[in-house]
Amino acid sequence: EEQLVESGGGLVQAGGSLRLSCAASGFTFDDSAIGWFRQAPGKEREGVSCMSRRDGSTWYADSVKGRFTISSDNAKDTMALQMNNLKPEDTAIYYCAVECYPPRVWGQGTPVTVSS
Protein backbone atom coordinates (compact mmCIF):
# COMPACT_ATOMS: atom_id res chain seq x y z
CA GLU A 1 0.00 0.00 0.00
CA GLU A 2 1.36 3.41 -0.96
CA GLN A 3 1.51 5.75 2.02
CA LEU A 4 3.09 9.05 2.95
CA VAL A 5 3.88 9.55 6.62
CA GLU A 6 4.24 13.10 7.88
CA SER A 7 5.81 14.56 10.99
CA GLY A 8 6.95 17.87 12.37
CA GLY A 9 3.81 19.93 12.89
CA GLY A 10 3.08 21.76 16.12
CA LEU A 11 2.50 25.06 17.86
CA VAL A 12 4.87 27.96 17.29
CA GLN A 13 4.84 31.69 17.90
CA ALA A 14 4.72 34.14 15.02
CA GLY A 15 8.19 34.63 13.60
CA GLY A 16 9.25 31.12 14.54
CA SER A 17 10.18 28.14 12.39
CA LEU A 18 9.05 24.58 11.84
CA ARG A 19 10.26 21.80 9.60
CA LEU A 20 7.78 19.31 8.20
CA SER A 21 8.95 15.93 6.97
CA CYS A 22 7.28 13.29 4.84
CA ALA A 23 8.45 9.76 4.08
CA ALA A 24 7.21 7.29 1.49
CA SER A 25 6.14 3.83 2.59
CA GLY A 26 5.46 0.99 0.16
CA PHE A 27 6.70 2.84 -2.91
CA THR A 28 9.43 5.13 -4.18
CA PHE A 29 9.20 8.66 -5.50
CA ASP A 30 11.15 7.88 -8.69
CA ASP A 31 10.79 10.93 -10.94
CA SER A 32 7.44 11.99 -9.53
CA ALA A 33 6.93 15.58 -8.54
CA ILE A 34 6.38 16.20 -4.86
CA GLY A 35 4.41 18.89 -3.14
CA TRP A 36 2.94 20.40 -0.01
CA PHE A 37 -0.61 21.60 0.41
CA ARG A 38 -2.52 23.10 3.31
CA GLN A 39 -6.08 23.57 4.46
CA ALA A 40 -6.98 26.27 6.93
CA PRO A 41 -10.20 26.09 8.98
CA GLY A 42 -13.18 26.95 6.82
CA LYS A 43 -11.10 27.21 3.64
CA GLU A 44 -10.35 25.02 0.66
CA ARG A 45 -7.11 23.08 0.38
CA GLU A 46 -4.47 25.09 -1.45
CA GLY A 47 -1.07 24.42 -2.95
CA VAL A 48 1.93 25.67 -0.97
CA SER A 49 4.91 24.37 -2.92
CA CYS A 50 5.80 21.85 -5.60
CA MET A 51 9.12 20.43 -6.76
CA SER A 52 10.15 18.51 -9.84
CA ARG A 53 12.51 15.67 -8.93
CA ARG A 54 13.64 15.54 -12.56
CA ASP A 55 15.19 18.99 -12.77
CA GLY A 56 14.81 20.42 -9.27
CA SER A 57 12.57 23.26 -10.37
CA THR A 58 10.25 24.60 -7.70
CA TRP A 59 7.02 26.54 -7.36
CA TYR A 60 5.80 28.44 -4.31
CA ALA A 61 2.54 30.14 -3.52
CA ASP A 62 3.00 33.90 -3.36
CA SER A 63 2.01 33.87 0.31
CA VAL A 64 5.02 31.73 1.29
CA LYS A 65 7.72 32.83 -1.16
CA GLY A 66 10.94 33.73 0.60
CA ARG A 67 9.82 32.03 3.83
CA PHE A 68 9.27 28.36 2.93
CA THR A 69 11.70 25.96 1.24
CA ILE A 70 10.82 22.58 -0.22
CA SER A 71 13.45 19.85 -0.43
CA SER A 72 13.78 16.18 -1.30
CA ASP A 73 16.24 13.48 -0.32
CA ASN A 74 16.38 11.29 -3.39
CA ALA A 75 18.22 8.48 -1.64
CA LYS A 76 15.68 8.12 1.14
CA ASP A 77 12.40 8.95 -0.60
CA THR A 78 11.68 11.71 1.85
CA MET A 79 10.66 15.32 1.41
CA ALA A 80 10.62 18.30 3.71
CA LEU A 81 9.18 21.79 4.02
CA GLN A 82 11.24 24.28 6.00
CA MET A 83 8.98 27.07 7.21
CA ASN A 84 10.55 30.26 8.55
CA ASN A 85 9.10 33.53 9.76
CA LEU A 86 5.75 31.88 10.32
CA LYS A 87 2.63 34.01 10.47
CA PRO A 88 -0.75 33.36 12.11
CA GLU A 89 -2.26 33.03 8.62
CA ASP A 90 -0.03 29.99 8.03
CA THR A 91 -2.13 28.08 10.57
CA ALA A 92 -3.53 25.01 8.77
CA ILE A 93 -3.34 21.27 8.32
CA TYR A 94 -0.38 20.60 6.04
CA TYR A 95 -0.35 17.67 3.62
CA CYS A 96 2.47 16.25 1.57
CA ALA A 97 1.69 14.69 -1.79
CA VAL A 98 3.21 12.86 -4.71
CA GLU A 99 2.50 14.70 -7.93
CA CYS A 100 0.95 18.15 -7.85
CA TYR A 101 -1.35 18.42 -10.84
CA PRO A 102 -3.25 16.57 -9.53
CA PRO A 103 -1.79 14.90 -6.44
CA ARG A 104 -1.69 11.09 -6.64
CA VAL A 105 -0.89 10.08 -3.05
CA TRP A 106 -1.64 12.15 0.06
CA GLY A 107 -0.12 12.19 3.51
CA GLN A 108 -2.39 12.06 6.53
CA GLY A 109 -1.86 15.72 7.37
CA THR A 110 -0.03 17.40 10.22
CA PRO A 111 -1.37 20.47 12.06
CA VAL A 112 0.56 23.71 12.25
CA THR A 113 -0.66 26.43 14.60
CA VAL A 114 0.99 29.85 14.67
CA SER A 115 0.11 32.06 17.61
CA SER A 116 0.33 35.84 17.43
Side-chain angles (χ1 to χ4, degrees), residues 36-101:
W36 289 92
F37 297 75
R38 68 185 180 185
Q39 187 166 16
K43 295 187 178 181
E44 293 186 354
R45 191 173 299 188
E46 63 177 359
V48 173
S49 180
C50 192
M51 181 181 197
S52 168
R53 284 165 54 91
R54 293 183 179 181
D55 61 14
S57 59
T58 57
W59 170 87
Y60 294 95
D62 288 342
S63 58
V64 307
K65 279 181 183 176
R67 300 188 297 122
F68 290 12
T69 302
I70 189 171
S71 63
S72 173
D73 185 327
N74 293 352
K76 298 181 179 180
D77 288 310
T78 60
M79 67 175 89
L81 186 69
Q82 178 66 41
M83 306 186 294
N84 298 328
N85 190 23
L86 283 159
K87 303 176 180 180
E89 51 264 43
D90 294 319
T91 294
I93 305 295
Y94 283 72
Y95 301 86
C96 59
V98 171
E99 301 296 356
C100 294
Y101 309 110

Short mmCIF file of all heavy atoms in Angstrom, two decimals, residues 36-101:
data_model
loop_
_atom_site.label_atom_id
_atom_site.label_comp_id
_atom_site.label_asym_id
_atom_site.label_seq_id
_atom_site.Cartn_x
_atom_site.Cartn_y
_atom_site.Cartn_z
N TRP A 36 3.58 20.14 -1.30
CA TRP A 36 2.94 20.40 -0.01
C TRP A 36 1.71 21.24 -0.24
O TRP A 36 1.73 22.19 -1.04
CB TRP A 36 3.91 21.12 0.93
CG TRP A 36 5.02 20.26 1.41
CD1 TRP A 36 6.25 20.11 0.83
CD2 TRP A 36 5.02 19.42 2.56
NE1 TRP A 36 7.01 19.23 1.55
CE2 TRP A 36 6.27 18.79 2.62
CE3 TRP A 36 4.08 19.13 3.55
CZ2 TRP A 36 6.62 17.88 3.63
CZ3 TRP A 36 4.42 18.24 4.55
CH2 TRP A 36 5.67 17.63 4.60
N PHE A 37 0.65 20.90 0.46
CA PHE A 37 -0.61 21.60 0.41
C PHE A 37 -1.04 21.92 1.83
O PHE A 37 -0.52 21.35 2.78
CB PHE A 37 -1.67 20.73 -0.28
CG PHE A 37 -1.36 20.40 -1.72
CD1 PHE A 37 -0.40 19.46 -2.04
CD2 PHE A 37 -2.03 21.04 -2.75
CE1 PHE A 37 -0.09 19.17 -3.36
CE2 PHE A 37 -1.74 20.75 -4.08
CZ PHE A 37 -0.77 19.81 -4.37
N ARG A 38 -2.00 22.82 1.97
CA ARG A 38 -2.52 23.10 3.31
C ARG A 38 -4.00 23.46 3.24
O ARG A 38 -4.49 23.91 2.21
CB ARG A 38 -1.72 24.23 3.97
CG ARG A 38 -1.91 25.60 3.33
CD ARG A 38 -0.98 26.61 4.00
NE ARG A 38 -1.13 27.94 3.42
CZ ARG A 38 -0.36 28.98 3.74
NH1 ARG A 38 0.62 28.84 4.63
NH2 ARG A 38 -0.57 30.15 3.18
N GLN A 39 -4.66 23.23 4.36
CA GLN A 39 -6.08 23.57 4.46
C GLN A 39 -6.32 24.24 5.79
O GLN A 39 -6.17 23.61 6.85
CB GLN A 39 -6.97 22.34 4.31
CG GLN A 39 -8.44 22.67 4.24
CD GLN A 39 -9.28 21.51 3.76
OE1 GLN A 39 -8.84 20.36 3.76
NE2 GLN A 39 -10.50 21.79 3.32
N ALA A 40 -6.67 25.51 5.72
CA ALA A 40 -6.98 26.27 6.93
C ALA A 40 -8.45 26.05 7.29
O ALA A 40 -9.27 25.70 6.44
CB ALA A 40 -6.71 27.75 6.69
N PRO A 41 -8.81 26.27 8.56
CA PRO A 41 -10.20 26.09 8.98
C PRO A 41 -11.15 26.91 8.12
O PRO A 41 -10.96 28.12 7.93
CB PRO A 41 -10.18 26.58 10.43
CG PRO A 41 -8.78 26.38 10.88
CD PRO A 41 -7.93 26.65 9.69
N GLY A 42 -12.17 26.25 7.59
CA GLY A 42 -13.18 26.95 6.82
C GLY A 42 -12.77 27.32 5.40
O GLY A 42 -13.51 28.00 4.70
N LYS A 43 -11.58 26.86 4.97
CA LYS A 43 -11.10 27.21 3.64
C LYS A 43 -10.81 25.95 2.83
O LYS A 43 -10.69 24.86 3.37
CB LYS A 43 -9.84 28.07 3.74
CG LYS A 43 -10.08 29.43 4.37
CD LYS A 43 -8.83 30.29 4.28
CE LYS A 43 -9.07 31.68 4.86
NZ LYS A 43 -7.86 32.54 4.75
N GLU A 44 -10.69 26.13 1.53
CA GLU A 44 -10.35 25.02 0.66
C GLU A 44 -8.85 24.71 0.75
O GLU A 44 -8.05 25.56 1.10
CB GLU A 44 -10.73 25.36 -0.79
CG GLU A 44 -12.22 25.49 -1.03
CD GLU A 44 -12.55 25.68 -2.49
OE1 GLU A 44 -11.62 25.83 -3.30
OE2 GLU A 44 -13.75 25.67 -2.82
N ARG A 45 -8.52 23.47 0.42
CA ARG A 45 -7.11 23.08 0.38
C ARG A 45 -6.42 23.85 -0.74
O ARG A 45 -6.96 24.01 -1.82
CB ARG A 45 -6.99 21.58 0.15
CG ARG A 45 -5.60 21.02 0.36
CD ARG A 45 -5.58 19.51 0.28
NE ARG A 45 -6.41 18.91 1.32
CZ ARG A 45 -6.44 17.60 1.56
NH1 ARG A 45 -5.70 16.76 0.85
NH2 ARG A 45 -7.23 17.12 2.50
N GLU A 46 -5.20 24.31 -0.47
CA GLU A 46 -4.47 25.09 -1.45
C GLU A 46 -3.04 24.58 -1.58
O GLU A 46 -2.47 24.01 -0.64
CB GLU A 46 -4.43 26.57 -1.05
CG GLU A 46 -3.71 26.85 0.24
CD GLU A 46 -3.62 28.33 0.57
OE1 GLU A 46 -4.10 29.16 -0.22
OE2 GLU A 46 -3.04 28.65 1.63
N GLY A 47 -2.44 24.80 -2.74
CA GLY A 47 -1.07 24.42 -2.95
C GLY A 47 -0.13 25.39 -2.26
O GLY A 47 -0.36 26.60 -2.25
N VAL A 48 0.92 24.86 -1.66
CA VAL A 48 1.93 25.67 -0.97
C VAL A 48 3.23 25.66 -1.78
O VAL A 48 3.82 26.71 -2.02
CB VAL A 48 2.19 25.12 0.44
CG1 VAL A 48 3.35 25.85 1.09
CG2 VAL A 48 0.94 25.21 1.29
N SER A 49 3.66 24.48 -2.18
CA SER A 49 4.91 24.37 -2.92
C SER A 49 4.95 23.06 -3.68
O SER A 49 4.34 22.08 -3.26
CB SER A 49 6.10 24.44 -1.96
OG SER A 49 7.33 24.35 -2.67
N CYS A 50 5.66 23.05 -4.79
CA CYS A 50 5.80 21.85 -5.60
C CYS A 50 7.22 21.80 -6.14
O CYS A 50 7.84 22.85 -6.38
CB CYS A 50 4.79 21.87 -6.74
SG CYS A 50 4.63 20.29 -7.59
N MET A 51 7.74 20.58 -6.30
CA MET A 51 9.12 20.43 -6.76
C MET A 51 9.21 19.29 -7.78
O MET A 51 8.66 18.21 -7.54
CB MET A 51 10.04 20.12 -5.58
CG MET A 51 11.49 19.94 -5.93
SD MET A 51 12.45 19.56 -4.44
CE MET A 51 14.10 19.91 -5.02
N SER A 52 9.89 19.56 -8.86
CA SER A 52 10.15 18.51 -9.84
C SER A 52 11.42 17.78 -9.43
O SER A 52 12.47 18.39 -9.23
CB SER A 52 10.35 19.12 -11.23
OG SER A 52 10.88 18.14 -12.11
N ARG A 53 11.33 16.45 -9.28
CA ARG A 53 12.51 15.67 -8.93
C ARG A 53 13.37 15.39 -10.16
O ARG A 53 14.48 14.89 -10.03
CB ARG A 53 12.10 14.37 -8.25
CG ARG A 53 11.67 14.60 -6.79
CD ARG A 53 10.94 13.40 -6.23
NE ARG A 53 11.69 12.17 -6.38
CZ ARG A 53 12.53 11.70 -5.47
NH1 ARG A 53 12.78 12.38 -4.36
NH2 ARG A 53 13.15 10.55 -5.65
N ARG A 54 12.85 15.73 -11.34
CA ARG A 54 13.64 15.54 -12.56
C ARG A 54 14.67 16.63 -12.73
O ARG A 54 15.82 16.36 -13.05
CB ARG A 54 12.71 15.49 -13.78
CG ARG A 54 11.81 14.27 -13.81
CD ARG A 54 10.96 14.22 -15.05
NE ARG A 54 10.11 13.03 -15.08
CZ ARG A 54 9.28 12.74 -16.05
NH1 ARG A 54 9.18 13.55 -17.10
NH2 ARG A 54 8.55 11.65 -16.00
N ASP A 55 14.25 17.89 -12.54
CA ASP A 55 15.19 18.99 -12.77
C ASP A 55 15.36 19.91 -11.57
O ASP A 55 16.10 20.89 -11.65
CB ASP A 55 14.78 19.81 -13.99
CG ASP A 55 13.41 20.46 -13.84
OD1 ASP A 55 12.89 20.51 -12.70
OD2 ASP A 55 12.86 20.93 -14.86
N GLY A 56 14.65 19.62 -10.48
CA GLY A 56 14.81 20.42 -9.27
C GLY A 56 14.06 21.74 -9.28
O GLY A 56 14.18 22.52 -8.33
N SER A 57 13.30 22.00 -10.33
CA SER A 57 12.57 23.26 -10.37
C SER A 57 11.49 23.28 -9.30
O SER A 57 10.96 22.23 -8.91
CB SER A 57 11.94 23.47 -11.75
OG SER A 57 11.05 22.42 -12.06
N THR A 58 11.20 24.46 -8.80
CA THR A 58 10.25 24.60 -7.70
C THR A 58 9.21 25.68 -8.00
O THR A 58 9.42 26.57 -8.81
CB THR A 58 10.97 24.97 -6.39
OG1 THR A 58 11.71 26.17 -6.59
CG2 THR A 58 11.90 23.86 -5.95
N TRP A 59 8.10 25.55 -7.31
CA TRP A 59 7.02 26.54 -7.36
C TRP A 59 6.58 26.81 -5.92
O TRP A 59 6.51 25.88 -5.11
CB TRP A 59 5.84 26.01 -8.17
CG TRP A 59 4.61 26.88 -8.05
CD1 TRP A 59 4.30 27.98 -8.80
CD2 TRP A 59 3.56 26.74 -7.09
NE1 TRP A 59 3.12 28.51 -8.37
CE2 TRP A 59 2.63 27.78 -7.32
CE3 TRP A 59 3.30 25.84 -6.06
CZ2 TRP A 59 1.48 27.95 -6.57
CZ3 TRP A 59 2.16 25.99 -5.30
CH2 TRP A 59 1.26 27.03 -5.55
N TYR A 60 6.30 28.05 -5.62
CA TYR A 60 5.80 28.44 -4.31
C TYR A 60 4.59 29.35 -4.47
O TYR A 60 4.56 30.20 -5.35
CB TYR A 60 6.87 29.18 -3.50
CG TYR A 60 8.06 28.33 -3.13
CD1 TYR A 60 9.21 28.33 -3.92
CD2 TYR A 60 8.05 27.54 -1.98
CE1 TYR A 60 10.31 27.55 -3.58
CE2 TYR A 60 9.14 26.77 -1.63
CZ TYR A 60 10.26 26.77 -2.43
OH TYR A 60 11.36 26.00 -2.10
N ALA A 61 3.63 29.19 -3.59
CA ALA A 61 2.54 30.14 -3.52
C ALA A 61 3.11 31.50 -3.13
O ALA A 61 4.08 31.59 -2.36
CB ALA A 61 1.51 29.68 -2.49
N ASP A 62 2.50 32.56 -3.65
CA ASP A 62 3.00 33.90 -3.36
C ASP A 62 3.05 34.17 -1.85
O ASP A 62 3.94 34.87 -1.37
CB ASP A 62 2.10 34.95 -4.03
CG ASP A 62 2.29 34.99 -5.54
OD1 ASP A 62 3.31 34.47 -6.02
OD2 ASP A 62 1.40 35.54 -6.22
N SER A 63 2.11 33.60 -1.13
CA SER A 63 2.01 33.87 0.31
C SER A 63 3.18 33.30 1.11
O SER A 63 3.39 33.70 2.25
CB SER A 63 0.69 33.33 0.86
OG SER A 63 0.60 31.94 0.62
N VAL A 64 3.93 32.36 0.53
CA VAL A 64 5.02 31.73 1.29
C VAL A 64 6.39 31.96 0.66
O VAL A 64 7.40 31.54 1.23
CB VAL A 64 4.77 30.22 1.47
CG1 VAL A 64 3.40 29.97 2.07
CG2 VAL A 64 4.94 29.46 0.16
N LYS A 65 6.44 32.60 -0.49
CA LYS A 65 7.72 32.83 -1.16
C LYS A 65 8.69 33.58 -0.25
O LYS A 65 8.32 34.55 0.41
CB LYS A 65 7.51 33.65 -2.44
CG LYS A 65 7.04 32.84 -3.62
CD LYS A 65 6.88 33.71 -4.85
CE LYS A 65 6.35 32.91 -6.03
NZ LYS A 65 6.10 33.77 -7.22
N GLY A 66 9.92 33.10 -0.22
CA GLY A 66 10.94 33.73 0.60
C GLY A 66 10.93 33.26 2.04
O GLY A 66 11.86 33.58 2.80
N ARG A 67 9.90 32.51 2.44
CA ARG A 67 9.82 32.03 3.83
C ARG A 67 9.88 30.51 3.92
O ARG A 67 10.40 29.96 4.89
CB ARG A 67 8.53 32.52 4.48
CG ARG A 67 8.39 34.03 4.52
CD ARG A 67 7.18 34.46 5.35
NE ARG A 67 5.91 33.99 4.76
CZ ARG A 67 5.05 33.22 5.41
NH1 ARG A 67 5.29 32.81 6.64
NH2 ARG A 67 3.91 32.84 4.82
N PHE A 68 9.33 29.83 2.92
CA PHE A 68 9.27 28.36 2.93
C PHE A 68 10.24 27.81 1.89
O PHE A 68 10.44 28.41 0.83
CB PHE A 68 7.87 27.87 2.59
CG PHE A 68 6.82 28.12 3.65
CD1 PHE A 68 7.05 28.96 4.72
CD2 PHE A 68 5.57 27.50 3.54
CE1 PHE A 68 6.09 29.18 5.68
CE2 PHE A 68 4.60 27.71 4.49
CZ PHE A 68 4.85 28.56 5.57
N THR A 69 10.80 26.63 2.18
CA THR A 69 11.70 25.96 1.24
C THR A 69 11.36 24.49 1.18
O THR A 69 11.34 23.81 2.22
CB THR A 69 13.17 26.12 1.67
OG1 THR A 69 13.49 27.51 1.76
CG2 THR A 69 14.08 25.47 0.64
N ILE A 70 11.11 23.99 -0.02
CA ILE A 70 10.82 22.58 -0.22
C ILE A 70 12.12 21.86 -0.57
O ILE A 70 13.00 22.43 -1.23
CB ILE A 70 9.77 22.38 -1.34
CG1 ILE A 70 9.30 20.93 -1.41
CG2 ILE A 70 10.30 22.85 -2.68
CD1 ILE A 70 8.11 20.72 -2.35
N SER A 71 12.25 20.63 -0.11
CA SER A 71 13.45 19.85 -0.43
C SER A 71 13.09 18.37 -0.52
O SER A 71 12.04 17.95 -0.05
CB SER A 71 14.54 20.08 0.61
OG SER A 71 14.11 19.63 1.88
N SER A 72 13.99 17.62 -1.13
CA SER A 72 13.78 16.18 -1.30
C SER A 72 15.10 15.45 -1.14
O SER A 72 16.13 15.92 -1.63
CB SER A 72 13.20 15.92 -2.69
OG SER A 72 13.14 14.53 -2.96
N ASP A 73 15.06 14.35 -0.44
CA ASP A 73 16.24 13.48 -0.32
C ASP A 73 16.00 12.29 -1.24
O ASP A 73 15.22 11.39 -0.91
CB ASP A 73 16.41 13.02 1.13
CG ASP A 73 17.69 12.21 1.32
OD1 ASP A 73 18.10 11.49 0.39
OD2 ASP A 73 18.27 12.30 2.41
N ASN A 74 16.64 12.31 -2.39
CA ASN A 74 16.38 11.29 -3.39
C ASN A 74 16.76 9.89 -2.92
O ASN A 74 16.14 8.90 -3.31
CB ASN A 74 17.13 11.61 -4.68
CG ASN A 74 16.60 12.86 -5.35
OD1 ASN A 74 15.57 13.40 -4.94
ND2 ASN A 74 17.31 13.33 -6.34
N ALA A 75 17.76 9.80 -2.08
CA ALA A 75 18.22 8.48 -1.64
C ALA A 75 17.28 7.84 -0.64
O ALA A 75 17.24 6.62 -0.50
CB ALA A 75 19.62 8.60 -1.04
N LYS A 76 16.51 8.65 0.07
CA LYS A 76 15.68 8.12 1.14
C LYS A 76 14.19 8.23 0.86
O LYS A 76 13.39 7.84 1.70
CB LYS A 76 16.00 8.87 2.44
CG LYS A 76 17.43 8.70 2.92
CD LYS A 76 17.65 9.44 4.24
CE LYS A 76 19.07 9.27 4.73
NZ LYS A 76 19.29 10.01 6.01
N ASP A 77 13.82 8.78 -0.30
CA ASP A 77 12.40 8.95 -0.60
C ASP A 77 11.69 9.72 0.51
O ASP A 77 10.65 9.28 1.04
CB ASP A 77 11.71 7.60 -0.84
CG ASP A 77 12.12 6.98 -2.16
OD1 ASP A 77 12.06 7.68 -3.19
OD2 ASP A 77 12.52 5.81 -2.16
N THR A 78 12.29 10.82 0.88
CA THR A 78 11.68 11.71 1.85
C THR A 78 11.62 13.11 1.26
O THR A 78 12.37 13.45 0.34
CB THR A 78 12.46 11.75 3.17
OG1 THR A 78 13.79 12.22 2.91
CG2 THR A 78 12.53 10.37 3.81
N MET A 79 10.75 13.92 1.79
CA MET A 79 10.66 15.32 1.41
C MET A 79 10.49 16.14 2.67
O MET A 79 10.13 15.61 3.72
CB MET A 79 9.48 15.55 0.44
CG MET A 79 8.12 15.35 1.05
SD MET A 79 6.79 15.78 -0.09
CE MET A 79 6.54 14.20 -0.90
N ALA A 80 10.74 17.42 2.56
CA ALA A 80 10.62 18.30 3.71
C ALA A 80 10.14 19.67 3.28
O ALA A 80 10.26 20.05 2.11
CB ALA A 80 11.96 18.41 4.44
N LEU A 81 9.59 20.39 4.23
CA LEU A 81 9.18 21.79 4.02
C LEU A 81 9.71 22.57 5.21
O LEU A 81 9.23 22.39 6.34
CB LEU A 81 7.67 21.92 3.91
CG LEU A 81 7.17 23.32 3.57
CD1 LEU A 81 7.55 23.68 2.13
CD2 LEU A 81 5.66 23.42 3.75
N GLN A 82 10.71 23.39 4.97
CA GLN A 82 11.24 24.28 6.00
C GLN A 82 10.43 25.56 5.98
O GLN A 82 10.35 26.22 4.95
CB GLN A 82 12.72 24.57 5.75
CG GLN A 82 13.34 25.53 6.74
CD GLN A 82 13.42 24.94 8.14
OE1 GLN A 82 13.73 23.77 8.31
NE2 GLN A 82 13.11 25.76 9.15
N MET A 83 9.84 25.89 7.12
CA MET A 83 8.98 27.07 7.21
C MET A 83 9.58 28.06 8.20
O MET A 83 9.71 27.74 9.40
CB MET A 83 7.57 26.65 7.65
CG MET A 83 6.95 25.57 6.77
SD MET A 83 5.24 25.20 7.19
CE MET A 83 5.46 24.48 8.82
N ASN A 84 9.96 29.21 7.72
CA ASN A 84 10.55 30.26 8.55
C ASN A 84 9.64 31.48 8.61
O ASN A 84 8.78 31.66 7.75
CB ASN A 84 11.92 30.66 8.00
CG ASN A 84 12.91 29.52 7.99
OD1 ASN A 84 12.88 28.64 8.85
ND2 ASN A 84 13.81 29.52 7.02
N ASN A 85 9.88 32.30 9.60
CA ASN A 85 9.10 33.53 9.76
C ASN A 85 7.60 33.25 9.65
O ASN A 85 6.88 33.91 8.89
CB ASN A 85 9.52 34.57 8.72
CG ASN A 85 8.93 35.94 8.98
OD1 ASN A 85 8.55 36.26 10.11
ND2 ASN A 85 8.84 36.74 7.95
N LEU A 86 7.14 32.29 10.40
CA LEU A 86 5.75 31.88 10.32
C LEU A 86 4.81 32.97 10.79
O LEU A 86 5.14 33.77 11.70
CB LEU A 86 5.53 30.60 11.14
CG LEU A 86 6.03 29.33 10.43
CD1 LEU A 86 6.27 28.21 11.44
CD2 LEU A 86 5.04 28.90 9.38
N LYS A 87 3.64 33.00 10.17
CA LYS A 87 2.63 34.01 10.47
C LYS A 87 1.35 33.30 10.92
O LYS A 87 1.12 32.15 10.54
CB LYS A 87 2.34 34.85 9.22
CG LYS A 87 3.57 35.53 8.63
CD LYS A 87 3.21 36.26 7.35
CE LYS A 87 4.44 36.94 6.75
NZ LYS A 87 4.11 37.66 5.50
N PRO A 88 0.50 33.99 11.68
CA PRO A 88 -0.75 33.36 12.11
C PRO A 88 -1.57 32.82 10.93
O PRO A 88 -2.24 31.79 11.07
CB PRO A 88 -1.47 34.49 12.82
CG PRO A 88 -0.37 35.33 13.38
CD PRO A 88 0.70 35.29 12.32
N GLU A 89 -1.49 33.48 9.78
CA GLU A 89 -2.26 33.03 8.62
C GLU A 89 -1.70 31.75 8.00
O GLU A 89 -2.30 31.20 7.07
CB GLU A 89 -2.37 34.12 7.56
CG GLU A 89 -1.04 34.75 7.17
CD GLU A 89 -0.76 36.04 7.93
OE1 GLU A 89 -1.01 36.09 9.17
OE2 GLU A 89 -0.27 36.99 7.29
N ASP A 90 -0.57 31.27 8.48
CA ASP A 90 -0.03 29.99 8.03
C ASP A 90 -0.67 28.82 8.80
O ASP A 90 -0.41 27.66 8.48
CB ASP A 90 1.49 29.94 8.23
CG ASP A 90 2.22 30.93 7.34
OD1 ASP A 90 1.85 31.06 6.16
OD2 ASP A 90 3.18 31.56 7.83
N THR A 91 -1.47 29.13 9.80
CA THR A 91 -2.13 28.08 10.57
C THR A 91 -3.02 27.23 9.67
O THR A 91 -3.88 27.75 8.95
CB THR A 91 -2.98 28.69 11.70
OG1 THR A 91 -2.09 29.33 12.63
CG2 THR A 91 -3.79 27.63 12.42
N ALA A 92 -2.80 25.91 9.66
CA ALA A 92 -3.53 25.01 8.77
C ALA A 92 -3.09 23.57 9.03
O ALA A 92 -2.12 23.33 9.76
CB ALA A 92 -3.26 25.37 7.31
N ILE A 93 -3.81 22.65 8.41
CA ILE A 93 -3.34 21.27 8.32
C ILE A 93 -2.49 21.19 7.05
O ILE A 93 -2.95 21.59 5.97
CB ILE A 93 -4.50 20.27 8.22
CG1 ILE A 93 -5.46 20.43 9.38
CG2 ILE A 93 -3.95 18.83 8.16
CD1 ILE A 93 -4.86 20.10 10.74
N TYR A 94 -1.29 20.68 7.18
CA TYR A 94 -0.38 20.60 6.04
C TYR A 94 -0.30 19.14 5.56
O TYR A 94 -0.15 18.22 6.36
CB TYR A 94 1.01 21.10 6.43
CG TYR A 94 1.09 22.62 6.48
CD1 TYR A 94 0.47 23.33 7.50
CD2 TYR A 94 1.75 23.33 5.49
CE1 TYR A 94 0.50 24.71 7.54
CE2 TYR A 94 1.80 24.72 5.52
CZ TYR A 94 1.18 25.40 6.55
OH TYR A 94 1.22 26.78 6.58
N TYR A 95 -0.37 18.99 4.25
CA TYR A 95 -0.35 17.67 3.62
C TYR A 95 0.79 17.59 2.62
O TYR A 95 0.96 18.49 1.80
CB TYR A 95 -1.65 17.41 2.88
CG TYR A 95 -2.90 17.46 3.72
CD1 TYR A 95 -3.56 18.66 3.95
CD2 TYR A 95 -3.43 16.30 4.28
CE1 TYR A 95 -4.71 18.71 4.72
CE2 TYR A 95 -4.59 16.34 5.05
CZ TYR A 95 -5.22 17.55 5.26
OH TYR A 95 -6.36 17.59 6.02
N CYS A 96 1.52 16.50 2.64
CA CYS A 96 2.47 16.25 1.57
C CYS A 96 1.78 15.40 0.50
O CYS A 96 0.76 14.75 0.77
CB CYS A 96 3.73 15.54 2.08
SG CYS A 96 3.46 13.94 2.87
N ALA A 97 2.32 15.42 -0.69
CA ALA A 97 1.69 14.69 -1.79
C ALA A 97 2.72 14.30 -2.83
O ALA A 97 3.76 14.97 -2.98
CB ALA A 97 0.60 15.54 -2.43
N VAL A 98 2.43 13.24 -3.53
CA VAL A 98 3.21 12.86 -4.71
C VAL A 98 2.42 13.31 -5.93
O VAL A 98 1.22 13.02 -6.04
CB VAL A 98 3.43 11.34 -4.74
CG1 VAL A 98 4.06 10.92 -6.07
CG2 VAL A 98 4.31 10.91 -3.59
N GLU A 99 3.09 13.99 -6.81
CA GLU A 99 2.50 14.70 -7.93
C GLU A 99 1.73 15.91 -7.41
O GLU A 99 1.26 15.94 -6.27
CB GLU A 99 1.63 13.82 -8.82
CG GLU A 99 2.35 12.63 -9.43
CD GLU A 99 3.47 13.04 -10.40
OE1 GLU A 99 3.65 14.24 -10.68
OE2 GLU A 99 4.18 12.14 -10.87
N CYS A 100 1.61 16.91 -8.26
CA CYS A 100 0.95 18.15 -7.85
C CYS A 100 -0.27 18.48 -8.70
O CYS A 100 -1.18 19.15 -8.24
CB CYS A 100 1.94 19.30 -7.94
SG CYS A 100 3.30 19.16 -6.76
N TYR A 101 -0.28 18.02 -9.94
CA TYR A 101 -1.35 18.42 -10.84
C TYR A 101 -1.95 17.22 -11.56
O TYR A 101 -1.67 17.01 -12.74
CB TYR A 101 -0.82 19.43 -11.87
CG TYR A 101 -0.09 20.59 -11.26
CD1 TYR A 101 1.28 20.71 -11.41
CD2 TYR A 101 -0.76 21.57 -10.51
CE1 TYR A 101 1.97 21.78 -10.86
CE2 TYR A 101 -0.08 22.64 -9.96
CZ TYR A 101 1.29 22.74 -10.14
OH TYR A 101 1.97 23.79 -9.58
#
